[in-house]
Amino acid sequence: MSSLRSTVSVLHPEIMMEFIIVVLLSSLPAVGVTANSQLICSHQPITALPGDDVILPCHLEPPISVSDETVEWTRPDLDPKYIHLHQDGRFIYKTQNPSYNLRTGLFMDGLMTGNVSMKISKVKVSDTGRYQCALPSLQKEASIQLIVREPKVIGSDKPVTVTVGDNVILPCQLEPPFDVTTLTVEWTRDGKYVHVYRSRKDYLTDQDENFRNRTSLFYEEMIRGNISLKLTNVTELDAGSYTCSVPKLESQVWRGFINLTVEPVENRNKGGQTDDISGDTGNNTGAKIGIAFGVIAVIAVIAVVVAVAVLWMKRRNRRQQREAPRDNDAVTIPMLNINTTTDCATPNTTG
């Protein structure tokens, strides 16, 4: 009987009122935090290649738990619009757009700290669009843009010309620019590997022997989609059609073509595209300067020899001119006409 009275006293209206007030007061801070929290999604578009896994980042700031809240991810331009619906602590798959079947998910542990980011696996070009994240019970929503690019591999429309012995760059670029540092890049000619880049490093096991130690990529430029090939010490055997490709791309244009023309050394001055970065131009200039000095030296020697010969001839002529008068001045003694008949032969008889 006493226990019944105690139970009744507990249910007394005044005591119940105090209990309700305490509960309400204890809930006020949580309500305040919820009201101040903002749903923040990335302001920058999320870009990806077909086949990649992407995360559309969204979170509450300051963080609060939304494990028991409804989280809606939608694309208003689709029908049905629901991409992922989290309700009553679980995923409601019946409302999901069929094109996203088995490809979306939330981070369940992250919901405790207000992380409502969504992951989409193996994205397609058709996944490109603006996504809406909403927390209906908290009256919060924000949007984020996803762009699934289909870059094209672009080679060169014009033949690349180089002289034997020079270095050359075979241009190849992804448009729009896209980071290919984590992708596979292949260069081939006539079905044989010229250069292979894979897993962030060169993979040259299957490289054609003709190109050993003569090929390289511009690794710092690959983040901007530059997959051009540098070929050093070009030979006539290097001429032909080259193919640059990124096999992972689902684009219809996942490879480009470049024709290389190799000219003999005597055609060096006729123009062409060579790699000036290599420094070979400096070596060629040095060789030309050396040849020029050699020619000048030979001309100088010939000039000295001619000058000496001229001087010697002049001196000889002068000597001959000095000696010539002596021969002309020789005295000529005339012959005397002596009469052999004397007066002694006839006696003088005159007394």
Side-chain angles (χ1 to χ4, degrees):
M1 186 70 178
S2 60
S3 61
L4 180 60
R5 289 178 180 177
S6 63
T7 302
V8 173
S9 64
V10 170
L11 297 177
H12 192 277
E14 294 181 358
I15 296 176
M16 290 297 297
M17 183 60 67
E18 292 178 359
F19 176 75
I20 292 173
I21 292 173
V22 169
V23 171
L24 290 175
L25 290 175
S26 63
S27 65
L28 286 178
V31 172
V33 171
T34 301
N36 293 331
S37 292
Q38 299 295 323
L39 180 60
I40 302 173
C41 296
S42 174
H43 298 295
Q44 297 296 326
I46 306 301
T47 60
L49 282 174
D52 286 347
D53 295 344
V54 300
I55 295 175
L56 304 184
C58 285
H59 69 282
L60 285 167
E61 187 65 39
I64 60 172
S65 175
V66 291
S67 298
D68 298 328
E69 304 294 339
T70 297
V71 179
E72 297 179 350
W73 276 94
T74 60
R75 263 187 66 182
D77 60 317
L78 298 182
D79 185 21
K81 67 177 183 178
Y82 288 101
I83 307 302
H84 193 99
L85 177 61
H86 175 86
Q87 194 173 54
D88 298 329
R90 60 191 181 90
F91 168 54
I92 309 299
Y93 67 91
K94 291 182 179 180
T95 60
Q96 187 181 43
N97 188 296
S99 63
Y100 290 88
N101 185 33
L102 302 178
R103 294 197 298 123
T104 63
L106 303 182
F107 298 90
M108 303 305 293
D109 294 338
L111 295 176
M112 295 289 295
T113 56
N115 181 7
V116 291
S117 302
M118 179 176 66
K119 179 179 179 180
I120 306 178
S121 302
K122 298 180 179 180
V123 294
K124 308 172 184 178
V125 175
S126 60
D127 293 339
T128 296
R130 180 162 293 278
Y131 291 74
Q132 195 83 16
C133 178
L135 300 169
S137 61
L138 304 180
Q139 297 183 346
K140 308 290 183 183
E141 65 178 27
S143 64
I144 185 172
Q145 180 77 21
L146 173 63
I147 301 175
V148 182
R149 293 185 174 182
E150 191 174 26
K152 299 178 180 180
V153 179
I154 301 176
S156 176
D157 296 333
K158 299 180 179 179
V160 177
T161 304
V162 65
T163 303
V164 170
D166 283 349
N167 299 347
V168 68
I169 295 175
L170 303 181
C172 195
Q173 177 77 29
L174 269 71
E175 291 292 346
F178 196 86
D179 184 1
V180 294
T181 54
T182 61
L183 304 181
T184 296
V185 176
E186 296 179 351
W187 276 88
T188 59
R189 190 193 67 168
D190 299 332
K192 296 182 180 180
Y193 287 112
V194 175
H195 193 99
V196 177
Y197 172 91
R198 186 181 301 159
S199 302
R200 296 181 180 272
K201 62 181 181 180
D202 294 328
Y203 187 81
L204 306 178
T205 304
D206 299 326
Q207 185 183 41
D208 187 346
E209 290 290 339
N210 181 54
F211 297 98
R212 288 288 183 187
N213 302 318
R214 297 198 298 125
T215 62
S216 62
L217 302 178
F218 295 88
Y219 306 103
E220 295 181 356
E221 295 291 326
M222 295 181 70
I223 192 172
R224 289 179 282 274
N226 183 1
I227 57 175
S228 300
L229 178 76
K230 180 178 179 180
L231 180 61
T232 62
N233 194 22
V234 174
T235 69
E236 292 184 356
L237 296 177
D238 295 334
S241 179
Y242 290 75
T243 300
C244 58
S245 61
V246 183
K248 185 180 178 181
L249 294 182
E250 295 182 359
S251 168
Q252 293 181 353
V253 186
W254 57 275
R255 59 184 177 181
F257 303 94
I258 304 94
N259 288 319
L260 177 63
T261 302
V262 181
E263 295 183 343
V265 177
E266 54 266 25
N267 294 336
R268 181 183 298 274
N269 295 328
K270 293 183 179 180
Q273 299 180 14
T274 59
D275 178 16
D276 294 332
I277 301 175
S278 65
D280 285 357
T281 301
N283 295 335
N284 295 334
T285 303
K288 293 177 181 179
I289 293 173
I291 293 173
F293 276 116
V295 172
I296 292 172
V298 171
I299 294 174
V301 171
I302 294 174
V304 171
V305 171
V306 171
V308 171
V310 170
L311 291 174
W312 180 80
M313 292 179 67
K314 286 183 177 181
R315 289 181 180 180
R316 187 184 67 174
N317 292 337
R318 289 176 182 175
R319 186 169 58 250
Q320 289 177 350
Q321 290 176 0
R322 286 196 299 269
E323 293 175 353
R326 295 179 183 177
D327 296 337
N328 297 331
D329 295 342
V331 178
T332 304
I333 302 175
M335 296 297 292
L336 296 176
N337 187 12
I338 302 175
N339 191 355
T340 57
T341 304
T342 65
D343 294 340
C344 296
T346 304
N348 189 359
T349 58
T350 304

